[in-house]
């Protein structure tokens, strides 16, 4: 973990190290504009970024068994079948924190959190089925919240974790809420990254329309432009964080002659079918008894002030408001990570809501600052 903010010498965060290394590599190549970069140049920048992080989190796998009872009686396989699921693990003896990303996120989304929070926290990032390095499910109808809860259950069993802290972004937050409501004995604390028991249909429908398509990025500039637009609500974020996320969410395709997303499009089509109505988990929310920390993007269209007020209860509920940020802050900003780590370690609610402005990052060189 980085030195406390009050110390004279504060170690650089993982995002600062990575961005500094990326900028140095970009300058050594003559600072070409994004449109002048070819894929060899892109690979060189990705390698420099990874070296700047200084510690690759090992990706592991376990065998998930998808039970017959979670399959559609008409379209399902009709019997249980297995799928490999990938996860990252920072290791160590710190409090285990299982991090579950949003609809298209992968485990590497939480690399900056894992590196900055170590050794205080052991951060375990899960690739849900159909994302990143995990296998794909047999049927579109197998992709649903019940399935994701079951995957979380089996991951904990595989790791021998009787209980842990859960951290969920967006869809990952919905998974964490349902799990905590059903298995309170297995959840120490709940960190919701701009996720709540209620998300309006308008927001869900917009998201479904945006993601449920096949994209091919035929140049680095196209990848920067499109993935940067997808992350525009995640708050002030440096090039390195955006590139790290985009790189691990995509893969090279010889057939398409470009990079494509590493997810099963059927998982997103399943979400689009569910997004025809608002997400309403209030009945499950009242069953959540553990301490809760909400990280709220103050420009979010998914988590409103009214929703936050309704989430407050007599037991430990804490809020960190993040200005100039919409849905799901990237969790790569050192000071915000420090606040999250303190909350988990102190194990008591805040006396009042806190506000954590984003760091002042240098002007981006690969992604537009708009």
């Amino acid at each position: 973990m980085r030195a406390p903010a009050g110390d004279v010498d504060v170690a650089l965060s993982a995002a600062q190290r990575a961005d500094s290394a990326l900028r140095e590599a970009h300058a050594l190549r003559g600072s070409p504009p994004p449109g002048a970069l070819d894929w060899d140049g892109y690979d060189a920048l990705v390698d420099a970024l990874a070296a700047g992080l200084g510690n690759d989190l090992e990706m592991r796998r376990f065998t998930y068994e998808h039970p017959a009872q979670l399959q559609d009686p008409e379209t399902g396989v009709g019997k249980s079948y297995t799928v490999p699921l990938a996860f990252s693990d920072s290791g160590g003896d710190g409090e285990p924190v299982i991090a579950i990303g949003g609809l298209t996120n992968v485990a590497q989304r939480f690399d900056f959190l894992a590196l900055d929070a170590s050794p205080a926290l052991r951060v375990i990032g899960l690739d849900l089925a159909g994302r990143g390095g995990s296998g794909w499910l047999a049927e579109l109808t197998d992709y649903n919240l019940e399935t994701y809860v079951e995957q979380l259950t089996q991951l904990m069993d595989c790791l021998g974790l009787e209980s842990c802290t859960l951290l969920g972004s967006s869809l990952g937050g919905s998974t964490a809420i349902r799990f905590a409501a059903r298995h309170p004995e297995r959840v120490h604390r709940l960190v919701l990254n701009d996720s709540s028991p209620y998300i309006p249909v308008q927001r869900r429908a917009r998201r479904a329309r945006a993601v449920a398509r096949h994209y091919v990025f035929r140049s680095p500039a196209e990848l920067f432009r499109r993935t940067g637009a997808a992350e525009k609500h995640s708050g002030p974020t440096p090039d390195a964080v955006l590139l790290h996320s985009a790189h691990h969410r995509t893969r090279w395709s010889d057939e398409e002659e470009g990079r494509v997303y590493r997810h099963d499009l059927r998982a997103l089509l399943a979400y689009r079918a569910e997004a025809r109505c608002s997400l309403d988990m209030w009945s499950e929310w009242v069953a959540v008894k553990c301490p809760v920390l909400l990280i709220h993007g103050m420009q979010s269209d998914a988590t409103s002030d009214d929703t936050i007020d309704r989430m407050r209860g007599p037991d430990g509920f804490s809020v960190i408001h993040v200005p100039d940020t919409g849905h799901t802050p990237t969790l790569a900003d050192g000071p915000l990570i420090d606040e999250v780590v303190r909350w988990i370690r102190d194990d008591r609610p805040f006396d009042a809501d806190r506000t954590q402005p984003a760091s002042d990052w240098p002007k981006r060189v690969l992604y537009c600052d708009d």
Side-chain angles (χ1 to χ4, degrees):
M1 182 181 175
R2 304 180 323 128
D7 289 5
V8 175
D9 295 320
V10 178
L12 292 179
S13 69
Q16 289 172 319
R17 297 196 306 271
D19 200 56
S20 177
L22 176 64
R23 288 173 177 277
E24 182 178 348
H26 185 252
L28 287 174
R29 298 184 68 85
S31 301
L37 271 176
D38 58 16
W39 288 115
D40 287 339
Y42 168 90
D43 289 338
L45 293 181
V46 169
D47 289 344
L49 186 164
L53 278 178
N55 185 9
D56 267 342
L57 296 183
E58 178 187 1
M59 291 299 295
R60 300 166 56 188
R61 283 189 165 196
F62 77 100
T63 300
Y64 164 71
E65 183 171 352
H66 189 55
Q69 61 265 32
L70 292 185
Q71 301 173 32
D72 186 287
E74 295 183 2
T75 62
V77 174
K79 61 181 179 180
S80 64
Y81 63 91
T82 60
V83 174
L85 295 188
F87 65 97
S88 61
D89 189 345
S90 65
D93 298 325
E95 164 71 8
V97 177
I98 296 183
I100 314 143
L103 184 60
T104 63
N105 290 164
V106 293
Q108 287 85 358
R109 171 92 169 188
F110 303 104
D111 282 356
F112 300 94
L113 169 67
L115 294 172
D116 283 350
S118 178
L121 305 181
R122 172 191 176 188
V123 177
I124 301 155
L126 174 63
D127 279 350
L128 293 171
R131 281 84 168 175
S134 290
W136 294 7
L137 299 175
E139 293 288 341
L140 180 150
T141 51
D142 288 342
Y143 290 105
N144 55 63
L145 198 55
E146 290 295 321
T147 293
Y148 304 142
V149 169
E150 179 64 21
Q151 290 172 16
L152 176 55
T153 302
Q154 292 190 29
L155 172 62
M156 290 183 66
D157 292 343
C158 171
L159 295 174
L161 296 176
E162 293 184 2
S163 59
C164 68
T165 293
L166 294 181
L167 186 155
S169 293
S170 194
L171 175 65
S174 303
T175 303
I177 289 171
R178 178 161 293 181
F179 186 93
R182 292 185 180 177
H183 308 286
E185 76 286 354
R186 304 197 71 173
V187 183
H188 293 157
R189 307 165 200 83
L190 196 56
V191 180
L192 299 176
N193 187 29
D194 204 67
S195 188
S196 71
Y198 180 80
I199 301 178
V201 63
Q202 296 88 347
R203 202 280 164 193
R204 300 186 83 203
R206 283 196 300 272
R207 179 63 173 154
R209 286 194 298 270
V211 300
R213 300 169 184 160
H214 177 61
Y215 290 98
V216 181
F217 307 109
R218 302 197 185 281
S219 69
E222 190 174 5
L223 181 140
F224 300 149
R225 178 175 60 82
R226 287 189 174 177
T227 60
E231 297 278 6
K232 66 181 179 180
H233 299 300
S234 296
T237 309
D239 278 309
V241 174
L242 294 173
L243 179 55
H244 185 75
S245 174
H247 180 72
H248 287 288
R249 288 166 59 201
T250 60
R251 62 173 177 82
W252 178 261
S253 169
D254 287 333
E255 296 82 4
E256 300 280 12
E257 297 183 346
R259 295 189 71 85
V260 297
Y261 279 117
R262 296 170 66 206
H263 56 232
D264 183 352
L265 186 59
R266 296 173 305 155
L268 310 192
L269 294 174
Y271 174 81
R272 186 168 71 179
E274 294 178 358
R276 297 184 180 127
C277 61
S278 299
L279 175 73
D280 188 337
M281 300 180 67
W282 289 118
S283 62
E284 292 170 278
W285 179 250
V286 297
V288 175
K289 302 303 181 185
C290 63
V292 178
L293 171 64
L294 171 66
I295 303 169
H296 172 226
M298 294 181 70
Q299 295 180 355
S300 174
D301 60 352
T303 307
S304 69
D305 291 339
D306 288 342
T307 297
I308 295 174
D309 287 341
R310 187 173 174 183
M311 292 172 73
R312 300 181 191 274
D315 299 322
F317 182 75
S318 304
V319 183
I320 299 175
H321 300 285
V322 185
D324 303 317
T325 301
H327 189 45
T328 61
T330 55
L331 298 184
D333 200 13
L336 176 58
I337 291 173
D338 290 344
E339 283 292 309
V340 173
V341 173
R342 288 192 192 101
W343 180 84
I344 292 175
R345 297 184 72 183
D346 288 348
D347 204 23
R348 60 177 181 266
F350 295 154
D351 294 332
D353 289 6
R354 299 187 180 181
T355 300
Q356 180 60 60
S359 296
D360 185 17
W361 297 105
K363 185 176 177 61
R364 296 172 185 160
V365 295
L366 301 179
Y367 288 83
C368 293
D369 265 320
D370 297 337

